[in-house]
Amino acid sequence: MGTVLQGMRHVQWHELRHAQGSASQVPGTLSRIAWGDAESAEDALSDLRAWIAALAVFDATVATVPFLWELAAVETVRDRAGVLGLLRAVLAHAHHPEWAGDAHRAVLAGRQTAERLATDGDPAVRKAAGQLLAALGGHVCETCPPE
C-alpha cells in the first residue's frame, strides 16, 4: 500500500457497520479509489456513497472520513473531485444521530485540506473543494453543537 492509506490496517473494519452491513470491504474499496483505473475508482466511489453517505451515516463513516481526506490530497488519485463530493455528502446527512456528530466533525476537521485544494491545479478539484468549503462554512445541524 505504500504510505497512502497505511493507517487502514489499524481499523477493526469487521466490527464496523455501514448502510448495507459489515464494513469489512471498505479497505479494498478505498484502495480501488487510490490505485484503480478510472472505471474501478468510479465504481468504488459509488459503493462508498451508498454505504456511508446515502441518507444516513454510520460508525464506518466515521472511520472512513480521514482516509477520504487523505485520498483527496493525493494528486495521483484519479477522482479527487469525487472524493470531495463524497465528503460533502457525508456532511449533508444527519439521519443517524448516534454517528452523525462524529462523522460531521471528521469532515470538518479536514477544512485545511479543503482550503489547500481550493487552489489545486485541477479545475474539477478546485470546484469540488470550493463547494465543500461552502458546505463546511454553512454547516448547521441538530447533532453538531455550534462553535
Side-chain angles (χ1 to χ4, degrees):
M1 271 192 264
T3 58
V4 177
L5 302 178
Q6 193 172 26
M8 284 193 311
R9 66 177 185 221
H10 301 295
V11 178
Q12 299 297 315
W13 295 101
H14 64 282
E15 294 177 7
L16 303 177
R17 309 285 297 166
H18 59 56
Q20 298 177 6
S22 171
S24 61
Q25 68 276 50
V26 169
T29 305
L30 288 167
S31 294
R32 289 187 2 238
I33 294 168
W35 298 288
D37 60 25
E39 184 178 344
S40 178
E42 183 179 327
D43 288 346
L45 272 170
S46 178
D47 288 345
L48 274 183
R49 187 169 284 107
W51 296 341
I52 69 165
L55 303 178
V57 296
F58 301 86
D59 56 354
T61 307
V62 177
T64 303
V65 166
F67 299 109
L68 293 174
W69 277 119
E70 185 178 347
L71 291 174
V74 176
E75 288 185 19
T76 57
V77 170
R78 293 189 185 274
D79 191 0
R80 294 183 299 143
V83 172
L84 292 167
L86 180 53
L87 286 164
R88 193 167 46 116
V90 169
L91 192 63
H93 294 106
H95 302 296
H96 199 300
E98 182 179 357
W99 300 112
D102 290 339
H104 292 176
R105 282 186 288 284
V107 175
L108 292 165
R111 181 184 302 275
Q112 287 184 325
T113 300
E115 289 170 349
R116 187 170 35 80
L117 292 173
T119 63
D120 193 86
D122 182 333
V125 171
R126 281 195 311 269
K127 180 180 178 182
Q131 291 171 334
L132 180 53
L133 282 169
L136 291 169
H139 179 69
V140 177
C141 76
E142 61 189 47
T143 61
C144 297
E147 293 182 1

